[in-house]
Amino acid sequence: MFEAKVGVSMLYSLHESFNRMVKRLGNENTRYIEILDDGAHELDKSRVALLKEAAKSCNLEYTVHAPFADVNIASPSPTMLNASLKRLTKSLYYARALDAKLWVFHPGARTGISQFYPGAEWKQNTQSIQELYAEAEQLGVNIAVENLPAKYWFLMSRPEDFNRFYKETGLPIGIVLDIGHSNLENQTEPFFDKLVDKIAHIHVSDNKGVDDDHLGIGYGTIDYNSIAKTLKKIGYNRRVIIESCDHVPESLKKLEKLLN
């Protein structure tokens, strides 16, 4: 049955204080909220308490986007790698405390010295995901990995990358299909064609096929009428999170109209 749950990422408010962001939660016109555990909104115990209070009073459900600034789970530097994994593990614990329905994280990326260690970045990326999955299993937190554009040096941008990962690990980990990212690689249709059963969560924003602009829906060139038809066809019944940085209320209305 088609019952896509349209929600909003608080990415657009990352420039504001955490308390200001929390005050916005009851006015988003959706109960499905994605919290970004990064920057000025980095989570701690007191902030988790505030979010739990908001969830109770406003009847909200959270997903958590893991930190990604300066985080690289494929880093060839042991020091930086360990720091990244420590930061992500901490985020997992806060996701559990929030009873988050999903914890979204980014795959690893190549670096300026990856060329000196051919293939090592993929091996490390795979190992790191396995470690995070094991930690999440112990905590009882559902996690999923997001597709990121290869043009920004990320390792998992195409269905072929994910299929390679699944073949090598056998992990039943879901995909966060970011439509803005897949549009930059002309991979949106291939993801739906080849990995539809793996799509656990969707991010939407608009762009013009060049940069990851995070525009409001309808302010780029992505055909969201076609996306909506595809979601209805496959009976997608999970979250579709608006990750635009502008025109967010308008985008929410547009997407809900397209999907209803």
Side-chain angles (χ1 to χ4, degrees):
M1 184 177 180
F2 179 73
E3 293 181 357
K5 302 172 178 66
V6 183
V8 170
S9 166
M10 300 312 292
L11 173 68
Y12 80 92
S13 66
L14 192 61
H15 64 288
E16 299 177 341
S17 71
F18 183 85
N19 288 343
R20 171 66 176 167
M21 180 273 290
V22 173
K23 290 179 180 179
R24 288 182 175 274
L25 295 179
N27 299 313
E28 294 295 343
N29 294 316
T30 176
R31 64 187 301 247
Y32 306 110
I33 301 292
E34 188 149 294
I35 299 296
L36 179 59
D37 180 11
D38 211 337
H41 297 175
E42 181 175 335
L43 296 176
D44 59 28
K45 290 182 179 179
S46 62
R47 289 179 167 185
V48 165
L50 287 174
L51 288 170
K52 291 179 72 172
E53 184 179 337
K56 185 176 181 179
S57 62
C58 301
N59 190 30
L60 305 176
E61 286 187 6
Y62 294 130
T63 52
V64 172
H65 196 305
F68 58 86
D70 303 316
V71 169
N72 184 3
I73 63 172
S75 175
S77 164
T79 301
M80 299 306 292
L81 176 65
N82 289 337
S84 292
L85 290 174
K86 183 178 180 180
R87 177 70 181 91
L88 291 172
T89 300
K90 183 179 179 182
S91 182
L92 269 172
Y93 276 79
Y94 289 135
R96 182 184 67 170
L98 282 172
D99 191 28
K101 303 306 178 184
L102 189 71
W103 184 77
V104 176
F105 71 105
H106 287 182
R110 296 177 181 84
T111 72
I113 63 171
S114 293
Q115 61 181 312
F116 298 103
Y117 312 101
E121 72 278 1
W122 177 266
K123 183 178 179 180
Q124 185 57 65
N125 178 68
T126 299
Q127 182 178 328
S128 294
I129 295 176
Q130 289 174 309
E131 292 177 11
L132 290 169
Y133 181 81
E135 188 71 37
E137 282 286 283
Q138 288 189 349
L139 294 172
V141 177
N142 292 320
I143 71 173
V145 60
E146 186 174 346
N147 61 301
L148 270 289
K151 67 179 293 182
Y152 299 138
W153 291 26
F154 284 97
L155 297 173
M156 300 176 75
S157 61
R158 305 167 303 161
E160 290 80 3
D161 303 322
F162 283 85
N163 277 325
R164 176 185 175 186
F165 172 81
Y166 292 132
K167 183 177 180 180
E168 292 177 358
T169 68
L171 285 184
I173 191 169
I175 298 172
V176 178
L177 178 58
D178 188 299
I179 301 295
H181 295 166
S182 62
N183 186 59
L184 298 183
E185 303 286 333
N186 294 313
Q187 293 294 311
T188 303
E189 288 187 14
F191 268 106
F192 282 122
D193 290 341
K194 300 176 182 179
L195 287 167
V196 66
D197 60 322
K198 295 290 188 180
I199 299 173
H201 194 71
I202 292 177
H203 284 166
V204 295
S205 63
D206 218 334
N207 62 56
K208 298 179 181 179
V210 179
D211 294 311
D212 188 21
D213 302 309
H214 287 271
L215 302 175
I217 304 302
Y219 288 86
T221 58
I222 298 177
D223 185 355
Y224 273 103
N225 286 294
S226 177
I227 298 295
K229 289 179 181 178
T230 297
L231 294 181
K232 291 178 180 179
K233 180 179 178 181
I234 66 176
Y236 183 81
N237 61 359
R238 300 184 180 184
R239 289 167 184 77
V240 179
I241 300 295
I242 294 169
E243 214 178 33
S244 302
C245 289
D246 54 26
H247 303 286
V248 175
E250 179 184 344
S251 296
L252 181 64
K253 291 180 180 179
K254 284 182 178 179
L255 203 59
E256 287 181 332
K257 184 176 180 180
L258 285 172
L259 294 177
N260 291 328

